[in-house]
């Protein structure tokens, strides 16, 4: 069964080969969606879209820039006639102690992880309304729940926790328009997110203590996004889905 047949989906930060975003874009495409990959690097974005092939598209878009978000959505609407699903996945991290976070660090991390979600959601919401509804999925983090993880500093935890507040507010306000908003909180996932700061071996070793005894794969998060984007989750809004192999189990 194809869960997103003929839907138009946008995934931000989706060009990295080993990233959660591209895994999500691939899975959405397999399920019949027409996908727009948004990311920073033009060549990487072109290659990622080329991998998916026609009718999927790649657009350069820095989510910290409102005008680029608006322009990207307009380009998708021109090509596909509307938008049904947005996955706010773009993110960066910095490993810092609380006393090391500078104003520049704070602005960079909050702007990308949190302001970017606001920009993209604001750009997409009118489109979802005009289609009679849709789904917004926002990638938060286990760091938001437990105050830290393997990669993130305190500003990253704050940004990822802020996303969950934004998700709940959007769920409340947009529910009457049949727009659902949900979060996904990944645990330790095998990507290049730390940009070499943490080896794959370390992640595998660390994950041995998790209840499911393995590190997460990008596809594990893609599966959660697919569920929340699809009609299987038609009555689900305002939640955060923990996808962490049991590394953190809420009371
Ligand atoms: P990733 O491969 O680094 O993916 C993040 C993507 O976002 C990259 O392609 C990056 O582009 C892009 N990006 C950064 N700033 C952007 C901006 N201003 N506008 C548009 N795109 C931007 O890492 P990932 O692990 O797949 O992370 C995806 C999401 O999962 C992030 O939100 C992250 O916080 C979250 N997450 C990851 C983990 C984990 O263990 N990996 C755990 C919890 C949460 P560049 O490559 O050009 O920088």
């Amino acid at each position: 069964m194809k869960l997103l047949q003929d839907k138009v989906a946008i995934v931000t930060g989706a060009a990295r080969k080993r990233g959660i975003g591209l895994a999500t874009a691939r899975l959405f495409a397999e399920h019949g969606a027409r996908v727009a990959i948004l990311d920073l690097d033009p060549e990487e974005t072109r290659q990622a879209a080329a991998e998916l092939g026609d009718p999927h598209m790649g657009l350069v878009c820095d989510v910290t820039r409102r005008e680029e978000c608006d322009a990207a959505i307009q380009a998708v609407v021109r090509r596909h006639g509307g938008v049904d699903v947005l996955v706010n996945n773009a993110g960066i991290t910095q490993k810092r102690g609380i006393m090391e976070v500078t104003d520049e660090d704070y602005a960079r991390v909050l702007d990308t992880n949190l302001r970017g979600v606001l920009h993209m959601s604001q750009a997409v919401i009118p489109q979802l309304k005009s289609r009679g509804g849709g789904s917004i999925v926002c990638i938060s983090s286990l760091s938001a729940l437990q105050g830290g993880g393997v990669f993130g500093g305190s500003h990253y935890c704050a940004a990822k926790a802020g996303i969950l507040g934004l998700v709940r507010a959007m769920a409340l306000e947009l529910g009457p328009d049949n727009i659902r908003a949900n979060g996904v909180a990944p645990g330790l996932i095998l990507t290049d997110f730390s940009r070499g700061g943490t080896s794959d071996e370390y992640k595998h070793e660390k994950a041995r203590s998790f209840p499911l005894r393995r590190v997460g794969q990008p596809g594990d998060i893609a599966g959660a996004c697919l569920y929340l984007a699809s009609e299987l989750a038609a009555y689900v809004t305002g939640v955060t889905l923990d996808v962490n192999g049991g590394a953190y189990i809420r009371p």
Side-chain angles (χ1 to χ4, degrees), residues 63-238:
V63 297
T64 68
R65 297 178 181 274
R66 181 183 287 283
E67 66 284 3
E68 292 189 22
C69 297
D70 291 340
I73 300 308
Q74 289 313 319
V76 174
V77 170
R78 275 197 303 278
R79 171 91 183 264
H80 294 304
V83 182
D84 303 287
V85 175
L86 167 66
V87 180
N88 283 306
N89 169 74
I92 57 166
T93 191
Q94 293 171 333
K95 200 153 180 61
R96 302 269 192 282
I98 180 75
M99 295 304 291
E100 296 158 8
V101 177
T102 65
D103 285 349
E104 290 73 28
D105 293 338
Y106 180 89
R108 211 169 150 243
V109 167
L110 270 286
D111 280 358
T112 306
N113 290 290
L114 186 54
R115 190 192 294 269
V117 172
L118 180 73
H119 284 166
M120 284 302 300
S121 302
Q122 286 179 329
V124 160
I125 286 163
Q127 300 301 329
L128 301 183
K129 282 187 180 172
S130 72
R131 300 271 256 210
S135 172
I136 300 175
V137 181
C138 302
I139 306 298
S140 175
S141 171
L142 171 60
S143 307
L145 309 175
Q146 65 172 18
V150 172
F151 310 127
S154 50
H155 53 339
Y156 176 76
C157 296
K160 291 298 190 183
I163 287 175
L164 299 181
L166 192 50
V167 159
R168 293 187 195 107
M170 290 196 291
L172 269 183
E173 190 178 330
L174 302 172
D177 294 303
N178 194 32
I179 297 171
R180 298 180 294 105
N182 292 290
V184 174
L188 186 57
I189 310 300
L190 203 63
T191 72
D192 297 320
F193 193 46
S194 69
R195 301 292 184 271
T198 315
S199 69
D200 285 359
E201 291 68 35
Y202 173 84
K203 291 173 201 165
H204 284 297
E205 184 56 39
K206 172 110 187 141
R208 286 213 185 104
S209 65
F210 299 166
L212 289 182
R213 299 285 188 269
R214 70 168 176 88
V215 72
Q217 297 294 331
D220 292 319
I221 307 304
C225 292
L226 175 64
Y227 164 67
L228 290 171
S230 78
E231 284 301 302
L232 290 180
Y235 203 49
V236 179
T237 196

